[in-house]
Amino acid sequence: MIKLKIAFLAIALLCFVQIHAQTVPISGKITDAAGAALPGISVKIKGTSLGTSTDSQGNFSIKGTNPSVLVFSGIGFQTRELAYTGQNNLVIVLKDDQQSLNEIVVTALGVKREKRNLTYSSQEVKGEQLTQTKEPNLVNALAGKVSGVQITSSSGTPGSSSRIVIRGANSLYGNNEALMVIDGIPVNNDETGNLNSGPGTNRIADLDPNIIESINVLKGGAATALYGSDGAKGVIIITTKAGSLNKKPSLSFSSSFSMEKPLLPEIQNKYSLGSNGVYFDGVNQKTSTSWGARMDTLKINGQPAQVYDQSDLFFKTGKTYTNTVAINGGGAYNSYFLSYTNFAQDGTVPTTSFDRNTVFGKFSTEILKDLNITFSLNYANTKNNRLPEGYALESPVWTIFTAPVSYNLQPSLNPDGTQRLFRFSRNNPYWVLDNISNTSVVNRFLPTFNADYKVLSWLTITERFGADVYVEQGKYHESLLSVSNPNGRIVNNNTNFRQYNNDLIIGANKSFGDFTIDALLGNNILSTYSETAYANGLGITVPGFDNIGSTSNINFKETSYLTRKIGFYLQSNIDYKKFLILSLTGRYDGTSVLAKNNSFYPYGSAATSFIFSNFFSKELSDIMSFGKLRLSYSTVGNASIGPYNLLTPYESQTVRNIAFPYQGQSGFLISQTLSNPNLKNERINEFEIGLETGFFKNRLSLEVTYFDKKTKNGIIPTVALAPSTGFNYTSVNTAVMRNRGIELLLNAKPIKTEDFSWDLTFNYSRIRNKVLSISGNLPQIGNGFTTIFPNQPYGVIFGTRYARNSEGKLLIGNDGLPFAADEQGIIGDINPDWMAGIVNNFKYKQFTLSFSFDMKKGGDIQNNVDGYGYFYGTPKVTEDRGPRVVEGVNATTGLPNTVSVSGQAYYQRANGVLESVIQDGTYVKLRNVSIGYNLKPTWLQKTPFKTIGLQVTGRNLWIYAPHFTGGDPEVSSFGSSNGSQGIYSFSTPTSRSVDFSLRLTL
């Protein structure tokens, strides 16, 4: 036994000596390709926690084992591994990591190019950045991430539209939203689905954000000229995910659940229903105002009055469920990607919802040598339930925001079955939930086919076909005994939309000595057809029978249009020694909507870039690693003319209260608006200059762009005509508008080690817009909630303003109240002074943290919740109801005002002056915060899972809006149209949400 113990001890001692003998100091020096020492480079022994970094001279020393594998890494350099077997005085050379400089982005027509060679401004957003926001609408996911882009939500109702405008408005009355392109195919993004007041849904909401690989935003005319007149407003290039070659099938699953709380306006809760301090019970004494008694002193039937928080009682916690399953893989010659997502959102207003089921598949294969084919199909089924919003008498949000805190709105029915109301002329909001509905069902198909054939090593032919086909069935139902339609109402609205796009492209890339030419020649054919059948039925004859055939009076209208466009385009990029690039683009389009003499029109662009960093010395390159100056000029046509707009149609008429058709007889008169057969497309000329720089191996990069664009031949659709002509209005090509702006994009990597990294992105844009002329001496023209004036920004608010003296002091009447001036004037500007966004991404081992801020300075908002609320006595500010002396001067005597007035009199006077509700929309918003954790791969070795990740995300967690008293200053209550901007008016409030998600990969 003693001998055995001695043997074991000897073996253990031998092992210890052996191990100790293998632990040796390892030292060396790390340099770049030119031999310069590299400080701060990480040196680690693979498979262990041992590590160090190089000193200021590039030297390192670490204790390790022999043999071992050393790992060297640093920002701006390619990671390198070295097998150590006892070498002395190691000298390690690291190569520059040029990945950021040679980043490939998808540009117009789906053409992939190196970002360093682009001659125009574009900005890419990766798909994971979009899904990280947990925004159901793709447009909202881009908010605050791209310079020069303004995104405005319309409402918090599930499925509501959002507006996206690049570099300001281009057209006074045409569509100003960016063109959406998915895998090279333009798709429809119209706002549809709403059959009453409030916003609809922009159709890009049908797209599942989980299938997006990246989005590239093309801003100026030089970037978008290849898309013709449809691309004049900027282009959003969406690239979907694809499978991987030589990869075994990989199954991924993600599931998330979020809870949403509405962002509510400030409402008072101290005063009851009534007037002049007197309580009304809402039963025997009805009124719409809350200027009654104080709630803390009011007693009802001898008991202290109960305070009803109407918003808290009505709005609920919204819930959203998202489940996605995807499979990805491929062989040596083919790849595939399949995805299914179920998205289900219940809104904060009961009965509102948005459900989306999407199936996406993409298959790529090389069927012959040098012939590659890709086919994809995106199918979406969406169902939207919404309620009327805004001014409509049917809007429940209006009644909730203006309801008294002393009155219980429930139950909604009296014992006799009639509505239970504290006031007249508006429905009980709880009755609305049970008796009014607005539903929309959309089935949409987006197939694409792409074939690339490499005829020669330098010549490729591409055939790309795509379609956008959807059918929308909309229905509005309003039961009997509604305040607005006592006899009930049913509306059916069915839309069939079909758009086909085909591109045939010949591309060439060839070098001639110091020159490289990259050129393409193509043809585009675009055909769009839409048909809408609208039926409005009044008078429900069978209660509870939701069929338009049961209504007593049905008015039916059918509209349809077919447009075709054909285009020929050419682009050439001439590269001289990788530092001087010239890009020329030309397009010749013909469209069926214009007269024959105007139907074809040419336009194009010329752009150049000079990469001056190629001439830097080694010392300067260590500081400034990249520098490019670019310059471009473009002229493009803006397709702002709708189909058949050159014709003066006949329209159904109403004569002396007799509406046609009448007793089976149709009656038409020619339209009172004379169409102009000589209309032509608007023209946008744009100059752009930009500087792109990278510092410290592109650890810091800065891009600055200045643009100046002018819209000419702007279309004015309603210019007055002399009555002697027999018409009231006509259309002309006379408006001129200009946009100038500065865009800034900063990317930084302040910290990057093997375990910890910090990426920061900051963007800033400042755009100045001015309408230079309208038509001759025409002084102004209306545009929805805004007005257009020469020499003013596009989108100013015009209306009643307070009367003032020459010093700007309020004029006060003998009653002690200010009053409206005799003439209306400009009282606000909806355009922001500047916009900015900051995105931070941190990663520490398995943990991730990201947060983003979105900022806007200026941009006035017409706050109608306060405006109407001043009359009702519901805004928070009206809690100050004591007597006051309004500061100003008496309009008769010119002396300071001394007459005291009540708070009710003061605010109800303010209700009649629009200026009183114009508020500065400045805000700082913590738009998104996300914390994630990915389990270590070593923990999953004995499980079937390759990855498991957890994430918690918060949206709109904090908003600072010092001058705005509504819930969210970023909304525009009536949708995404030009004339619906800058107004906050009883829309469903947007939400603050928290999302929990799980991701698994097999």
Side-chain angles (χ1 to χ4, degrees):
M1 180 63 67
I2 295 176
K3 291 181 179 180
L4 185 60
K5 290 182 178 179
I6 293 174
F8 274 123
L9 181 62
I11 292 172
L13 182 61
L14 181 62
C15 291
F16 174 78
V17 170
Q18 178 69 18
I19 293 173
H20 182 74
Q22 290 176 345
T23 303
V24 296
I26 305 173
S27 61
K29 185 175 183 178
I30 301 179
T31 70
D32 62 13
L38 296 177
I41 298 297
S42 172
V43 182
K44 287 198 170 187
I45 297 178
K46 190 174 184 178
T48 73
S49 59
L50 300 176
T52 186
S53 58
T54 57
D55 59 20
S56 60
Q57 303 300 316
N59 298 315
F60 71 92
S61 179
I62 188 174
K63 289 186 176 181
T65 58
N66 183 9
S68 62
V69 176
L70 301 178
V71 181
F72 308 94
S73 61
I75 296 175
F77 296 94
Q78 298 178 13
T79 299
R80 178 179 173 183
E81 293 186 0
L82 175 71
Y84 175 74
T85 56
Q87 305 96 311
N88 296 322
N89 299 321
L90 294 172
V91 177
I92 309 300
V93 178
L94 296 186
K95 296 180 180 179
D96 290 345
D97 184 0
Q98 298 293 326
Q99 183 177 1
S100 58
L101 291 181
N102 297 328
E103 180 183 1
I104 303 298
V105 295
V106 180
T107 63
L109 299 176
V111 178
K112 296 181 179 180
R113 299 197 187 279
E114 291 186 16
K115 182 172 175 56
R116 75 189 306 270
N117 291 336
L118 296 183
T119 54
Y120 47 77
S121 175
S122 73
Q123 187 174 339
E124 187 179 55
V125 180
K126 297 295 185 181
E128 57 267 23
Q129 294 178 269
L130 302 173
T131 55
Q132 192 178 60
T133 64
K134 303 302 178 183
E135 290 279 2
N137 192 316
L138 169 66
V139 173
N140 290 335
L142 289 171
K145 292 181 172 62
V146 184
S147 62
V149 174
Q150 183 174 7
I151 293 171
T152 309
S153 301
S154 59
S155 166
T157 292
S160 288
S161 63
S162 292
R163 174 181 170 93
I164 179 167
V165 175
I166 299 176
R167 291 185 173 177
N170 297 289
S171 177
L172 271 62
Y173 291 96
N175 182 16
N176 280 305
E177 293 195 70
L179 174 68
M180 298 288 176
V181 177
I182 302 177
D183 291 336
I185 305 299
V187 298
N188 179 270
N189 189 33
D190 289 346
E191 182 178 4
T192 69
N194 186 37
L195 300 177
N196 200 305
S197 178
T201 298
N202 61 312
R203 292 270 54 99
I204 202 66
D206 299 328
L207 185 67
D208 175 22
N210 292 285
I211 67 170
I212 296 176
E213 180 68 29
S214 66
I215 288 181
N216 196 26
V217 181
L218 305 182
K219 303 175 184 178
T224 65
L226 283 177
Y227 282 107
S229 51
D230 290 330
K233 303 166 289 291
V235 180
I236 307 296
I237 303 292
I238 301 171
T239 304
T240 59
K241 293 180 179 179
S244 304
L245 294 172
N246 299 309
K247 181 180 180 180
K248 294 181 180 179
S250 174
L251 181 67
S252 63
F253 172 77
S254 66
S255 180
S256 67
F257 167 71
S258 71
M259 297 176 290
E260 294 97 23
K261 282 297 230 180
L263 297 166
L264 301 170
E266 301 174 7
I267 304 294
Q268 69 89 10
N269 61 0
K270 292 184 177 181
Y271 291 90
S272 72
L273 184 71
S275 181
N276 295 313
V278 178
Y279 166 68
F280 285 24
D281 63 7
V283 180
N284 300 305
Q285 298 169 300
K286 293 183 181 293
T287 183
S288 60
T289 65
S290 292
W291 292 102
R294 284 186 65 96
M295 293 297 296
D296 56 3
T297 62
L298 177 64
K299 291 188 177 182
I300 301 176
N301 298 326
Q303 300 297 321
Q306 182 176 347
V307 176
Y308 297 94
D309 187 330
Q310 305 291 3
S311 293
D312 187 61
L313 292 170
F314 181 78
F315 294 104
K316 64 176 185 177
T317 299
K319 297 180 176 64
T320 302
Y321 303 86
T322 307
N323 293 286
T324 299
V325 60
I327 186 169
N328 177 9
Y333 300 101
N334 57 71
S335 65
Y336 54 86
F337 178 83
L338 296 171
S339 172
Y340 166 74
T341 296
N342 169 256
F343 174 88
Q345 183 180 16
D346 291 329
T348 57
V349 172
T351 75
T352 62
S353 63
F354 183 73
D355 297 324
R356 180 179 62 210
N357 287 278
T358 55
V359 178
F360 174 75
K362 181 183 284 188
F363 178 75
S364 299
T365 184
E366 183 181 359
I367 60 174
L368 297 173
K369 187 178 186 303
D370 297 324
L371 176 59
N372 293 281
I373 290 178
T374 298
F375 174 77
S376 68
L377 175 64
N378 190 1
Y379 166 72
N381 171 264
T382 60
K383 299 178 181 179
N384 194 196
N385 294 302
R386 60 175 64 245
L387 289 174
E389 302 180 51
Y391 300 121
L393 296 179
E394 305 86 3
S395 169
V397 176
W398 177 298
T399 314
I400 288 296
F401 284 169
T402 60
V405 296
S406 61
Y407 184 84
N408 187 0
L409 291 167
Q410 302 184 71
S412 62
L413 295 177
N414 293 311
D416 62 358
T418 59
Q419 283 199 59
R420 182 171 167 270
L421 303 169
F422 66 89
R423 55 166 294 168
F424 302 102
S425 79
R426 285 196 175 272
N427 290 314
N428 185 301
Y430 294 96
W431 184 90
V432 170
L433 299 181
D434 298 326
N435 293 278
I436 294 180
S437 64
N438 185 0
T439 62
S440 171
V441 179
V442 175
N443 286 283
R444 189 173 190 179
F445 295 86
L446 295 167
T448 64
F449 172 83
N450 191 92
D452 292 309
Y453 180 52
K454 201 164 189 176
V455 182
L456 301 170
S457 61
W458 54 273
L459 184 66
T460 303
I461 298 177
T462 299
E463 164 63 22
R464 180 184 299 132
F465 172 81
D468 182 0
V469 179
Y470 69 81
V471 177
E472 179 177 30
Q473 296 174 294
K475 187 159 192 173
Y476 177 81
H477 176 267
E478 187 173 351
S479 296
L480 293 166
L481 304 181
S482 172
V483 170
S484 54
N485 290 291
N487 296 322
R489 181 186 179 210
I490 296 177
V491 176
N492 287 344
N493 188 81
N494 296 324
T495 299
N496 288 278
F497 179 88
R498 299 191 295 270
Q499 180 170 282
Y500 303 105
N501 185 92
N502 189 87
D503 283 282
L504 177 62
I505 305 171
I506 301 174
N509 185 292
K510 195 170 182 62
S511 296
F512 302 91
D514 294 332
F515 291 90
T516 298
I517 298 178
D518 191 341
L520 63 85
L521 174 67
N523 165 246
N524 171 255
I525 299 174
L526 180 69
S527 176
T528 305
Y529 175 78
S530 179
E531 177 185 299
T532 299
Y534 176 90
N536 181 34
L538 296 176
I540 296 176
T541 58
V542 182
F545 185 44
D546 188 9
N547 189 301
I548 196 169
S550 68
T551 59
S552 58
N553 185 8
I554 302 175
N555 183 19
F556 184 84
K557 180 173 63 175
E558 180 181 346
T559 59
S560 65
Y561 69 83
L562 172 64
T563 65
R564 292 189 177 96
K565 181 186 293 184
I566 185 170
F568 303 91
Y569 46 83
L570 170 68
Q571 184 181 65
S572 63
N573 293 280
I574 305 170
D575 185 328
Y576 177 67
K577 290 187 175 181
K578 300 296 182 182
F579 76 86
L580 187 62
I581 299 110
L582 174 65
S583 178
L584 302 173
T585 301
R587 177 150 178 155
Y588 190 65
D589 268 357
T591 176
S592 63
V593 302
L594 296 177
K596 289 184 178 180
N597 57 330
N598 289 327
S599 59
F600 280 87
Y601 39 91
Y603 45 83
S605 68
T608 184
S609 65
F610 172 55
I611 304 177
F612 53 85
S613 56
N614 285 16
F615 302 93
F616 287 172
S617 64
K618 178 62 178 65
E619 293 74 14
L620 183 55
S621 294
D622 290 340
I623 300 174
M624 187 174 183
S625 48
F626 181 70
K628 178 174 75 174
L629 182 67
R630 47 183 172 76
L631 183 70
S632 68
Y633 180 81
S634 62
T635 176
V636 296
N638 186 23
S640 54
I641 301 175
Y644 317 124
N645 276 6
L646 307 188
L647 305 176
T648 304
Y650 283 85
E651 299 173 343
S652 294
Q653 297 294 318
T654 299
V655 180
R656 295 181 180 178
N657 298 323
I658 297 177
F660 288 90
Y662 178 72
Q663 296 184 348
Q665 179 64 50
S666 297
F668 298 92
L669 289 175
I670 197 167
S671 172
Q672 293 301 293
T673 299
L674 175 65
S675 296
N676 182 353
N678 298 313
L679 281 181
K680 53 188 176 182
N681 274 341
E682 299 173 340
R683 175 72 62 168
I684 301 175
N685 300 325
E686 182 172 9
F687 167 79
E688 178 182 312
I689 185 171
L691 175 67
E692 299 178 24
T693 58
F695 300 90
F696 312 114
K697 306 296 181 183
N698 287 314
R699 189 166 176 172
L700 175 70
S701 64
L702 175 66
E703 179 177 341
V704 181
T705 302
Y706 169 79
F707 68 89
D708 185 341
K709 63 178 178 178
K710 180 181 288 187
T711 301
K712 297 182 178 181
N713 302 327
I715 296 176
I716 307 297
T718 53
V719 174
L721 290 176
S724 58
T725 63
F727 297 93
N728 295 330
Y729 303 98
T730 190
S731 302
V732 293
N733 278 114
T734 56
V736 180
M737 182 166 59
R738 184 179 65 201
N739 285 276
R740 293 175 174 173
I742 297 174
E743 300 166 350
L744 184 147
L745 177 63
L746 175 70
N747 288 291
K749 297 180 179 180
I751 302 174
K752 185 174 183 181
T753 66
E754 187 172 338
D755 291 333
F756 182 72
S757 64
W758 173 20
D759 293 328
L760 180 147
T761 300
F762 171 77
N763 71 80
Y764 169 89
S765 54
R766 178 184 182 273
I767 300 173
R768 292 293 178 266
N769 170 282
K770 180 183 285 190
V771 177
L772 301 181
S773 66
I774 300 177
S775 177
N777 296 322
L778 189 65
Q780 67 188 69
I781 192 168
N783 185 29
F785 294 102
T786 59
T787 306
I788 300 171
F789 288 88
N791 299 314
Q792 293 290 337
Y794 176 75
V796 294
I797 304 173
F798 180 81
T800 55
R801 52 185 175 178
Y802 286 112
R804 288 181 167 84
N805 64 11
S806 58
E807 298 176 355
K809 295 180 180 180
L810 288 177
L811 293 178
I812 309 297
N814 293 329
D815 57 0
L817 294 172
F819 54 90
D822 293 335
E823 294 183 0
Q824 296 184 351
I826 296 174
I827 52 179
D829 178 6
I830 68 173
N831 299 285
D833 297 330
W834 53 264
M835 302 174 294
I838 301 176
V839 180
N840 286 276
N841 289 287
F842 297 89
K843 183 177 181 181
Y844 176 69
K845 293 185 177 180
Q846 307 303 119
F847 291 93
T848 60
L849 168 65
S850 68
F851 60 91
S852 62
F853 286 92
D854 190 6
M855 295 159 280
K856 186 184 79 169
K857 174 65 171 64
D860 292 321
I861 299 173
Q862 180 179 328
N863 186 343
N864 276 354
V865 175
D866 274 10
Y868 287 92
Y870 288 160
F871 174 80
Y872 295 128
T874 50
K876 186 75 172 177
V877 68
T878 63
E879 287 183 349
D880 179 12
R881 304 192 169 189
R884 72 208 53 209
V885 176
V886 181
E887 184 178 352
V889 296
N890 185 278
T892 303
T893 66
L895 298 175
N897 176 47
T898 58
V899 179
S900 178
V901 296
S902 67
Q904 180 175 350
Y906 172 74
Y907 282 110
Q908 289 190 335
R909 174 60 59 86
N911 163 258
V913 182
L914 188 60
E915 181 186 350
S916 67
V917 297
I918 304 302
Q919 299 179 348
D920 183 351
T922 296
Y923 68 80
V924 178
K925 179 180 290 191
L926 180 57
R927 183 172 293 278
N928 186 273
V929 178
S930 180
I931 301 174
Y933 179 75
N934 297 308
L935 272 65
K936 290 184 178 180
T938 54
W939 295 359
L940 304 175
Q941 289 178 349
K942 296 183 179 180
T943 72
F945 301 105
K946 296 178 182 178
T947 63
I948 297 180
L950 305 170
Q951 184 174 299
V952 180
T953 301
R955 289 187 292 128
N956 294 333
L957 297 182
W958 174 74
I959 298 177
Y960 173 70
H963 312 294
F964 182 70
T965 57
D968 187 346
E970 199 186 358
V971 298
S972 193
S973 297
F974 292 93
S976 58
S977 65
N978 294 334
S980 298
Q981 305 307 301
I983 187 166
Y984 177 78
S985 184
F986 302 98
S987 56
T988 300
T990 54
S991 298
R992 175 179 293 116
S993 68
V994 177
D995 179 279
F996 304 89
S997 63
L998 169 69
R999 302 183 308 278
L1000 307 172
T1001 303
L1002 292 173

